[in-house]
Amino acid sequence: MQQAAGNGTMLSLRDVRIVRGERTVLSVEKLDLAAGIHVLEGPNGAGKSTVLLAAAGLVDLAAGQVLLDGTVLHDGMAPAPVERRRRIALVFQDPYLMSGTVREAVEIGLKIRRVGSQERRTRVDPLLERLGLKHLASKRSTKLSGGERRKVALAQALVLDSQVLLLDEVTVNLDEASKQTLIDILRERAGGGHQVIVIASHDSELAHRLDARVHRLAGGRVLDDGVRRP
Amino acid sequence: MILEGLRRAFEMLLSFDPQVWGPVRVSLEVSCVATLLAAVAAIPLGVVIGLSRFAGRRIIVSVLNTMLALPTVLVGLLVYGLISRSGPLGAWDILYTPTAMIIGQTILAMPMICAFTVASVERSDPRIRLSMLSLGAGRIKASVAVALENRAALAAALAAGFGRVFSEVGVAMMLGGNIRGYTRNITTGIAFETGKGEFALGVALGTVLLVVALAVNFAVGYWNYRGGRRQ
Ligand SMILES: Nc1ncnc2c1ncn2[C@@H]1O[C@H](COP(=O)(O)OP(=O)(O)O)[C@@H](O)[C@H]1O
Ligand SMILES: [Mg+2]
């Protein structure tokens, strides 16, 4: 079992039920995700992406609440209020990049938060460098390969330095070097002890390399409560 | 006689005869201003309708689609009733002015631009709005982003609205009154000159109308195609 107390940062789902069409696609009584790295595992359609969308306040909740450190992030209709959503960053399973250059794409979230151009640059540049995107900075985002697009989407989220980071099938299309870079970045951030990182993935090797807690999902339910694989 | 008419028509066009280019200028000015005014209201409205999912939304969309077929003379009649001397806005004294034509054409263009906008937003990529929301945008900013990412389709909407008003006669005739050098435009000019037996002038005006209408149609098709592409 994981420590619920400690430094406090905690993302929780309480009695969350999500209905799409007529069908209940997610039903989670209690899921607590403390600071650190968590992997949601499960077959296609298990509800992994839906958990992330719920935590990001982007899908209607038929019942229940999403809480961060005990305060409500999302309940009821999506989208959740903007100031709550800004505590969270999400990389979609199939990311869309706005037209413009790669640099512009990575800066969008900071621009929305009215971060000045000087500071944007000092936050974006090292990240582009580290993810091997620097040479693409002025390339149009519509002209990228699948893997490049995913790395830009990752950079968009990472640069926000939010309390909660949600990553959906994030290693798809990534080469081994990029994957290792991502793993290093995530482990560094988790080491800080303040960020909750949740990854939906069916790559079980990834959970091991991240030393993550694994939560198995099936049929819209959480099967176990954060075991750490040996 | 037709060949002779054609020959004289091209002479008029090439010699920049003010009898031809005067009405062309009126048409372009009135229809451009009307299209832009209509767009200011119709595009935001169309984006909101296209993105929302309230009950009764379907009804609004079908009313909108029905209004595409609104006969121009009916719009002319309605506005005439408002702005003629005895009407509620009679004090404005704008009947038979370009302003009156602009009002009528704005009303005509709005449903067109709005319906095109709704359709393009409906079939646009749903990930656009979600991405913006996930990056911390408010609802309005996210909607603006949807519009910007669909700018080709919105250009098609504008062109369609312009095409509708540029080639119509009813509003221009009833509210403009076909006053030479003032409110006479291409379509009222054609009707009037041909009736008078000035066949060549009618053909010259008709040629400009045809060229512009074809260009606009081409633009609608091209931008619609561009707007339909996905990542
Ligand atoms: N937009 C949607 N409309 C209807 N059903 C959906 C939608 N998105 C997901 N679902 C359904 O919800 C269930 C869970 O999907 P998802 O969370 O994407 O699964 P996973 O990410 O684990 O593969 C699936 O049965 C899927 O068909
Ligand atoms: Mg998924």
Side-chain angles (χ1 to χ4, degrees):
Chain A
M1 287 301 294
Q2 67 193 51
Q3 290 293 119
N7 54 44
T9 300
M10 171 82 83
L11 178 70
S12 317
L13 274 67
R14 285 286 179 277
D15 301 309
V16 166
R17 200 161 63 80
I18 292 173
V19 178
R20 290 198 121 144
E22 301 278 273
R23 214 158 52 89
T24 297
V25 297
L26 192 74
S27 180
V28 177
E29 208 172 290
K30 180 168 180 284
L31 179 63
D32 285 325
L33 305 169
I37 307 180
H38 302 264
V39 170
L40 306 180
E41 263 184 25
N44 292 330
K48 305 182 293 294
S49 298
T50 308
V51 169
L52 300 187
L53 286 174
L58 296 178
V59 65
D60 293 346
L61 305 188
Q65 297 176 315
V66 178
L67 307 159
L68 182 58
D69 300 343
T71 64
V72 176
L73 268 188
H74 181 38
D75 54 355
M77 299 285 277
V82 64
E83 64 280 5
R84 296 184 193 165
R85 278 189 280 114
R86 285 189 185 169
R87 300 174 71 186
I88 288 177
L90 166 67
V91 178
F92 290 89
Q93 183 164 346
D94 181 17
Y96 179 98
L97 302 177
M98 305 298 147
S99 48
T101 64
V102 165
R103 175 181 293 283
E104 283 162 357
V106 176
E107 287 187 341
I108 289 180
L110 296 174
K111 265 194 177 152
I112 288 172
R113 287 163 178 75
R114 303 191 183 286
V115 174
S117 66
Q118 195 70 41
E119 191 188 334
R120 288 207 300 271
R121 195 160 271 275
T122 57
R123 284 169 70 170
V124 167
D125 281 348
L127 201 53
L128 289 179
E129 173 89 61
R130 190 148 183 212
L131 288 169
L133 292 170
K134 200 170 178 199
H135 65 292
L136 299 174
S138 45
K139 192 163 176 175
R140 308 224 61 89
S141 60
T142 44
K143 304 247 155 83
L144 301 176
S145 74
E148 289 166 343
R149 189 149 67 214
R150 188 169 300 279
K151 284 198 275 183
V152 173
L154 262 169
Q156 279 185 324
L158 287 170
V159 78
L160 297 176
D161 229 341
S162 56
Q163 227 177 330
V164 178
L165 180 60
L166 310 169
L167 309 173
D168 204 345
E169 307 285 359
V170 76
T171 52
V172 177
N173 286 339
L174 290 192
D175 55 38
E176 180 48 39
S178 304
K179 195 164 153 180
Q180 187 58 51
T181 306
L182 174 64
I183 288 169
D184 293 343
I185 294 175
L186 295 180
R187 293 193 68 143
E188 280 163 29
R189 296 210 171 185
H194 299 289
Q195 202 169 27
V196 181
I197 300 173
V198 190
I199 305 169
S201 173
H202 46 249
D203 173 359
S204 45
E205 188 222 17
L206 181 69
H208 180 72
R209 287 169 71 180
L210 283 165
D211 193 21
R213 292 181 185 283
V214 177
H215 309 255
R216 283 187 305 130
L217 271 77
R221 294 182 178 273
V222 182
L223 299 183
D224 51 27
D225 193 16
V227 286
R228 213 169 221 144
R229 295 264 169 80
Chain B
M1 185 196 113
I2 290 181
L3 278 183
E4 173 61 15
L6 278 174
R7 199 182 57 73
R8 283 207 36 230
F10 279 96
E11 273 172 23
M12 283 177 172
L13 282 172
L14 295 176
S15 64
F16 293 95
D17 189 328
Q19 287 196 87
V20 178
W21 293 102
V24 169
R25 218 198 66 219
V26 172
S27 269
L28 286 173
E29 281 175 6
V30 167
S31 297
C32 284
V33 173
T35 305
L36 291 179
L37 286 178
V40 169
I43 288 183
L45 190 63
V47 171
V48 169
I49 296 174
L51 286 177
S52 59
R53 38 180 184 171
F54 55 91
R57 184 178 169 286
R58 276 284 127 216
I59 299 171
I60 291 185
V61 172
S62 30
V63 168
L64 208 54
N65 287 327
T66 312
M67 279 169 73
L68 296 184
L70 209 61
T72 60
V73 284
L74 274 190
V75 173
L77 198 63
L78 174 82
V79 178
Y80 187 97
L82 289 173
I83 65 175
S84 65
R85 286 215 177 282
S86 53
L89 304 178
W92 291 7
D93 199 19
I94 53 170
L95 186 59
Y96 304 137
T97 64
T99 308
M101 296 165 78
I102 288 171
I103 292 173
Q105 292 198 350
T106 302
I107 294 172
L108 268 182
M110 268 194 312
M112 194 74 153
I113 297 174
C114 198
F116 261 70
T117 305
V118 171
S120 78
V121 168
E122 275 178 344
R123 66 188 161 82
S124 85
D125 198 321
R127 294 175 302 167
I128 300 171
R129 181 165 171 277
L130 284 176
S131 301
M132 286 302 287
L133 290 174
S134 80
L135 290 167
R139 288 152 182 259
I140 294 176
K141 222 171 228 158
S143 304
V144 170
V146 172
L148 288 176
E149 290 294 298
N150 285 293
R151 54 193 173 273
L154 296 189
L158 273 189
F162 180 82
R164 165 100 155 127
V165 296
F166 190 73
S167 58
E168 71 84 32
V169 205
V171 159
M173 192 67 97
M174 292 182 67
L175 303 178
N178 192 34
I179 301 166
R180 183 173 175 185
Y182 186 48
T183 58
R184 177 169 303 168
N185 71 359
I186 296 179
T187 54
T188 62
I190 292 175
F192 178 74
E193 300 298 348
T194 311
K196 255 183 12 182
E198 288 279 353
F199 186 65
L201 184 48
V203 172
L205 288 171
T207 306
V208 178
L209 184 67
L210 189 66
V211 168
V212 174
L214 284 178
V216 165
N217 234 307
F218 177 78
V220 173
Y222 175 72
W223 280 321
N224 253 334
Y225 159 74
R226 296 247 326 199
R229 289 196 305 192
R230 283 196 173 202
Q231 239 180 50

